[in-house]
């Protein structure tokens, strides 16, 4: 997976984009801590599972948001620069990870 790490996005995220994603991730982090507390308190398994499902959904939505931006900016720019196939192949490899 390291071969896909890039130092900088082709078009840097705006301050608002970054803040929205960071805020979403902080909420998810809080939810994870909440589940840890639920386990420590021996809460009902189904209640814990519902919270896990909520976190999975939140992470998936965050991933979709980042994917959409990547397609609209990075992949689009790569296509314009004649490197579209590489960008599409890279994105498809990552998207396959989402379906596992």
């Amino acid at each position: 997976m390291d071969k896909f790490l890039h130092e900088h996005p082709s078009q840097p995220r705006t301050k608002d984009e970054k803040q929205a994603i960071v805020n979403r991730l902080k909420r998810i982090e809080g939810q994870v801590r909440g589940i840890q507390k639920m386990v420590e308190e021996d809460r009902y398994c189904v209640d814990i599972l519902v919270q896990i499902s909520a976190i999975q959904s939140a992470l998936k939505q965050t991933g979709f948001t980042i994917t959409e931006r990547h397609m609209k900016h990075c992949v689009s720019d790569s296509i314009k620069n004649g490197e579209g196939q590489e960008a599409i192949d890279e994105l498809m490899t990552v998207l396959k990870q989402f379906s596992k």
Side-chain angles (χ1 to χ4, degrees):
M1 179 144 162
D2 287 338
K3 70 179 182 174
F4 295 125
L5 296 179
H6 302 284
E7 282 192 36
H8 303 287
S10 64
Q11 186 173 9
R13 290 172 191 85
T14 66
K15 183 178 179 182
D16 289 343
E17 286 175 320
K18 285 183 206 178
Q19 195 59 56
I21 292 170
V22 167
N23 289 346
R24 199 177 283 182
L25 291 170
K26 286 181 180 182
R27 280 193 300 275
I28 293 167
E29 181 182 23
Q31 288 176 293
V32 171
R33 281 195 301 272
I35 290 175
Q36 289 170 339
K37 186 175 180 184
M38 291 174 79
V39 170
E40 289 168 354
E41 294 173 351
D42 284 327
R43 296 278 298 274
Y44 186 54
C45 294
V46 172
D47 293 340
I48 295 169
L49 292 170
V50 166
Q51 291 305 309
I52 289 172
S53 176
I55 290 169
Q56 289 172 325
S57 178
L59 279 171
K60 186 179 278 189
Q61 283 303 103
T62 304
F64 287 145
T65 298
I66 293 171
T67 300
E68 180 179 17
R69 189 205 185 278
H70 181 69
M71 289 170 53
K72 287 181 177 179
H73 296 283
C74 304
V75 174
S76 177
D77 290 348
S78 292
I79 290 169
K80 290 174 189 171
N81 294 330
E83 299 171 355
Q85 192 59 54
E86 293 89 351
I88 291 168
D89 291 345
E90 176 186 56
L91 180 58
M92 289 307 300
T93 299
V94 172
L95 290 177
K96 288 175 186 175
Q97 294 295 314
F98 268 74
S99 65
K100 287 185 177 183

